[in-house]
Amino acid sequence: MIFFIADTHFFHSDLLGDNQFAPRLFDSTAAMNQAMINAWNARVDDNDVVYHLGDIAMNPENVPTNASVLAILVQLHGRITFIKGNHDYRALFKFLHQNDPGWHGQDKFKFHDVGTIIKADHRQLFLTHYPMMMGIVHQVLNLHGHIHNSSVYQEENINVGVDSPERALLPDPLPWGSPLTVPEIEAIYQAKRAANAKNRM
């Protein structure tokens, strides 16, 4: 099975508390980090692949070391394909590659600097950190992060970030920090499409 997530921002203390950008109602980054680890591992199996669409970890006041980021990532189930975000950096990707814990004789981590395209459920999914303005498309969705507690109007753009307000469009709420499945992406798309059609009437 495949999953999608973005903007985990492990260790990012500035996001703690009630704020408009990325409200994270935890008393500490340790509690925040653990909530994301728990939500991830509750859904993801060892055989699954998670596409992480950028911004793994950050803390402007006390930048986490590469080793501390790796210590978080090795706790997460499944294999992870990383799309580089604006707060990720080549040195981190190189460190993760050099210290890859492995997965049944394969790498646990894979990396893309800009993005990648996959096919799922008769759709092409453009996986990027930044939202793309694609114009008129057919059977194409852009899964992205970067904008945290904001949403792009076009229904073809799906914010898969931890803080995405579009998660509220799902019929069944997910624990905060959960990676999203392909059917959940489709449900968000259909809900956005219906809302946009209603607004145009």
Side-chain angles (χ1 to χ4, degrees):
M1 198 167 188
I2 58 175
F3 293 85
F4 308 91
I5 198 167
D7 301 307
T8 45
H9 280 246
F10 290 109
F11 303 104
H12 196 168
S13 59
D14 288 350
L15 301 186
L16 297 176
D18 191 10
N19 61 82
Q20 291 186 346
F21 179 65
R24 300 189 177 189
L25 306 180
F26 296 94
D27 293 330
S28 66
T29 56
M32 177 186 75
N33 291 351
Q34 194 60 53
M36 286 188 282
I37 293 169
N38 293 347
W40 181 303
N41 288 344
R43 310 200 85 198
V44 178
D45 183 82
D46 188 43
N47 293 311
D48 296 330
V49 175
V50 181
Y51 288 89
H52 189 300
L53 308 189
D55 288 2
I56 304 166
M58 180 191 175
N59 191 359
E61 291 78 25
N62 185 17
V63 177
T65 65
N66 292 341
S68 62
V69 175
L70 176 63
I72 291 282
L73 298 178
V74 296
Q75 297 178 60
L76 302 176
H77 293 171
R79 290 170 288 163
I80 310 173
T81 297
F82 295 103
I83 308 297
K84 187 175 179 293
N86 57 301
H87 294 298
D88 300 321
Y89 44 94
R90 285 273 185 87
L92 173 61
F93 280 11
K94 185 176 180 180
F95 179 87
L96 295 177
H97 176 66
Q98 291 172 339
N99 295 276
D100 194 311
W103 179 90
H104 302 289
Q106 302 178 43
D107 290 340
K108 180 179 177 71
F109 306 136
K110 292 185 178 180
F111 310 92
H112 294 280
D113 277 348
V114 178
T116 191
I117 301 172
I118 65 171
K119 289 186 178 180
D121 197 22
H122 307 292
R123 291 192 185 279
Q124 279 193 321
L125 304 179
F126 286 37
L127 310 181
T128 59
H129 179 62
Y130 303 99
M132 298 172 59
M133 297 297 103
M134 298 185 296
I136 298 173
V137 293
H138 301 284
Q139 296 299 106
V140 175
L141 299 179
N142 170 217
L143 309 189
H144 64 86
H146 185 61
I147 57 177
H148 289 268
N149 192 31
S150 297
S151 178
V152 175
Y153 173 78
Q154 286 78 6
E155 56 257 28
E156 292 83 8
N157 295 80
I158 308 294
N159 180 0
V160 302
V162 168
D163 311 300
S164 171
E166 295 176 4
R167 290 169 174 263
L169 297 173
L170 291 170
D172 300 310
L174 294 173
W176 182 85
S178 299
L180 298 170
T181 65
V182 170
E184 287 160 351
I185 296 296
E186 185 67 24
I188 292 171
Y189 165 72
Q190 294 296 344
K192 282 187 71 175
R193 186 180 183 190
N196 286 352
K198 185 176 181 180
N199 291 337
R200 288 192 290 264
M201 293 176 67

